[in-house]
């Protein structure tokens, strides 16, 4: 009897494992849409465009990037939340995914109920950049200029509630300054305005801004990472000047809730494969992006932690009622 019971249990387990993998065996059979809530050329877009061709090779189907800008990525997030949960619509997110959910009661999506985590992609390096016309070359000089002209110094973001907005707000809080926010559809638009001197500073991803920094059109006065970037070794890390400064900058892939688990797990494994490819690592290192794949369960924990952190920051900054 014991042998029969063991055999039956093994058969059930085998059937369970087979069922868990069969759900993804024939997927995908048509192009996969990868939605991005920011402009082409933004840091989140660069993450998506790095992954897309490699995933297309693995899957034998096109992976099409769809940029749906506006409302700090909320438009794309809401659209993805309403997509059919069959694995053919994915959403590439930045920290703005959590920030908007915290700041806006009408964001159009619930980050936990409407989505399932797929995989973290990694972390972008950001830089505090200023327009040369402002005439400041250090963080301390920027703080002094802001104190001399309270409310007159303008900082840009990739939209209200975007990760760049929250990072700049955390800098403002750490520095104890009063500056004025100007929102744009994405990082490229923000960078154009800083280049023109119509906006004084911003904290873009290093990828979109690096060429402008290297040719002197923008001045980088700090990187917002725990240590200096090897691409800008002479630029201090923000924590060297403001030890209490912190930043969250995860990029990740989400899928609509109820997407079959087998498909979610397959995508997660394939993202990890792509991020481990030598040419992809080299491409990401060129813009100081740190790849860090995760399981769906691991990123779900990260996301929940981000929601708690951003809720606290939003209340402290007066962006949300206590």
């Amino acid at each position: 009897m014991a042998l029969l019971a063991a055999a039956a249990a093994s058969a059930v387990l085998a059937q369970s494992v087979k069922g868990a993998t069969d759900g993804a065996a024939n997927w995908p059979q048509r192009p996969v849409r990868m939605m991005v809530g920011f402009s082409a050329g933004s840091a989140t877009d660069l993450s998506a465009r790095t992954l897309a061709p490699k995933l297309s090779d693995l899957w034998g189907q096109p992976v099409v990037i769809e940029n749906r800008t506006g409302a700090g990525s909320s438009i794309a997030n809401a659209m993805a939340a309403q997509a059919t949960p069959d694995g053919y619509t994915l959403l590439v997110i930045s920290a703005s995914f959590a920030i908007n959910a915290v700041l806006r009661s009408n964001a159009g999506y619930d980050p936990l109920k409407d989505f399932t985590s797929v995989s973290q992609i990694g972390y972008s390096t950001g830089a505090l950049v200023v327009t040369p016309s402002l005439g400041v070359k250090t963080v301390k000089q920027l703080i002094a200029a802001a104190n001399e002209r309270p409310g007159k110094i303008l900082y840009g973001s990739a939209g209200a509630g975007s990760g760049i907005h929250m990072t700049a707000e955390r800098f403002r809080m750490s520095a104890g300054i009063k500056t004025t926010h100007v929102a744009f559809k994405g990082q490229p638009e923000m960078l154009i305005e800083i280049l023109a001197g119509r906006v004084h500073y911003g904290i873009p991803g290093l990828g979109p801004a690096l060429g402008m920094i290297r040719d002197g059109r923008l001045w980088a006065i700090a990187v917002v990472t725990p240590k200096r970037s090897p691409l800008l070794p002479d630029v201090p890390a923000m924590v060297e000047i403001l030890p209490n400064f912190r930043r969250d900058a995860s990029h990740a892939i989400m899928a609509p809730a109820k997407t079959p688990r087998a498909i979610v797990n397959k995508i997660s494994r394939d993202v990890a494969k792509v991020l481990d490819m030598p040419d992809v690592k080299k491409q990401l290192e060129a813009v100081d992006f740190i790849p860090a794949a995760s399981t769906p369960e691991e990123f779900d924990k990260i996301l929940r932690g981000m929601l708690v952190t951003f809720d606290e920051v939003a209340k402290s900054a007066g962006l949300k009622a206590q």
Side-chain angles (χ1 to χ4, degrees):
M1 291 295 290
L3 288 174
L4 288 174
S10 295
V12 170
L13 178 61
Q15 187 63 32
S16 175
V17 171
K18 183 176 184 297
T21 56
D22 281 355
N26 298 317
W27 180 93
Q29 295 184 327
R30 63 178 190 270
V32 176
R33 178 173 63 158
M34 189 174 278
M35 298 188 69
V36 178
F38 299 103
S39 310
S42 64
T44 313
D45 179 75
L46 290 174
S47 292
R49 292 182 189 276
T50 299
L51 292 176
K54 298 295 185 178
L55 290 174
S56 180
D57 290 344
L58 288 177
W59 296 341
Q61 292 288 346
V63 177
V64 181
I65 305 297
E66 185 173 322
N67 298 91
R68 293 285 183 148
T69 63
S73 80
S74 284
I75 291 175
N77 300 343
M79 290 181 64
Q82 297 169 14
T84 304
D86 54 9
Y88 290 97
T89 296
L90 303 174
L91 177 68
V92 179
I93 67 165
S94 66
S96 64
F97 180 78
I99 295 166
N100 279 314
V102 166
L103 292 180
R104 297 175 177 167
S105 58
N106 61 343
Y109 66 97
D110 184 302
L112 300 178
K113 293 180 181 179
D114 293 338
F115 290 92
T116 184
S117 297
V118 178
S119 176
Q120 181 171 259
I121 300 170
Y123 309 90
S124 64
T125 295
L128 173 56
V129 300
V130 297
T131 179
S133 63
L134 186 60
V136 304
K137 294 187 176 182
T138 68
V139 173
K140 289 183 178 179
Q141 289 176 0
L142 176 59
I143 293 171
N147 286 331
E148 290 171 5
R149 301 161 57 190
K152 302 297 184 181
I153 301 294
L154 309 179
Y155 73 89
S157 81
S162 64
I164 289 176
H165 179 202
M166 191 62 74
T167 299
E169 189 60 32
R170 294 175 87 169
F171 163 66
R172 188 194 63 76
M173 292 167 56
S174 296
I177 57 177
K178 182 179 179 182
T179 52
T180 299
H181 175 227
V182 182
F184 298 97
K185 286 185 177 181
Q187 292 192 63
E189 294 85 351
M190 177 193 76
L191 288 168
I192 288 170
E193 294 303 304
I194 299 175
L195 286 170
R198 290 186 286 268
V199 173
H200 300 109
Y201 75 93
I203 308 182
L206 194 53
L210 189 58
M212 304 171 196
I213 294 169
R214 285 179 167 165
D215 65 17
R217 289 183 291 158
L218 291 177
W219 291 350
I221 58 175
V223 291
V224 289
T225 42
K227 59 182 181 180
R228 296 189 181 203
S229 166
L231 298 181
L232 298 172
D234 296 328
V235 177
M238 186 73 80
V239 291
E240 295 177 38
I241 304 134
L242 300 171
N244 63 336
F245 176 82
R246 296 291 181 273
R247 176 195 185 223
D248 297 286
S250 286
H251 290 191
I253 295 178
M254 306 294 288
K258 299 183 180 179
T259 299
R261 197 66 186 178
I263 293 176
V264 169
N265 288 338
K266 173 178 172 53
I267 297 169
S268 181
R269 290 192 299 269
D270 289 344
V271 168
K273 288 179 185 177
V274 169
L275 291 174
D276 199 42
M277 294 177 179
D279 58 330
V280 171
K281 287 182 176 179
K282 185 176 181 179
Q283 185 177 348
L284 294 175
E285 286 172 1
V287 293
D288 211 11
F289 185 94
I290 303 165
S294 74
T295 65
E297 295 78 13
E298 287 168 343
F299 187 70
D300 186 68
K301 290 180 181 178
I302 292 170
L303 175 60
R304 289 173 186 273
M306 289 169 65
L307 289 167
V308 172
T309 297
F310 288 131
D311 186 63
E312 293 172 352
V313 172
K315 289 176 180 177
S316 178
L319 300 173
K320 182 179 180 182
Q322 295 283 349

